[in-house]
Amino acid sequence: MRFKPVTLLYIITVAVIVAALVWEYYMQQWMATQPDGGSAVMRVDLFVIWPLVITLVSICIFRLVKGRK
C-alpha cells in the first residue's frame, strides 16, 4: 500500500499532534506527583515538541492552500 507524499504528510502530522497531546497529559500527571507540585521542573521538551507541531501544521496548511489554486 503506497501513500502519496501529501497523504503521508497529513498522517504524520496527525500522529505527531496526538503524540504531543498524550505526552503533555502524562507530563502534567508526573509534575503533579513531584514534591513541590512541579514548580521546579524545567520543561526543555517543549523546545522540541511544539516547534515540530507548528512546523508540520504550517506545512499542511500551505499544501492545502497551494493545492486549491
Side-chain angles (χ1 to χ4, degrees):
M1 183 163 140
R2 291 188 47 96
F3 293 109
K4 292 182 181 178
V6 176
T7 306
L8 191 59
L9 173 67
Y10 297 149
I11 291 170
I12 290 171
T13 302
V14 170
V16 167
I17 290 171
V18 169
L21 292 175
V22 169
W23 177 264
E24 185 64 30
Y25 172 76
Y26 282 111
M27 282 300 293
Q28 293 299 322
Q29 296 291 324
W30 176 78
M31 285 174 40
T33 63
Q34 299 303 308
D36 58 353
S39 63
V41 175
M42 187 175 282
R43 297 280 312 268
V44 294
D45 60 322
L46 299 177
F47 289 110
V48 175
I49 293 172
W50 294 114
L52 178 66
V53 169
I54 291 169
T55 302
L56 285 172
V57 169
S58 302
I59 292 171
C60 286
I61 291 171
F62 176 76
R63 294 292 297 190
L64 285 171
V65 170
K66 182 182 171 190
R68 291 187 182 176
K69 289 185 178 180

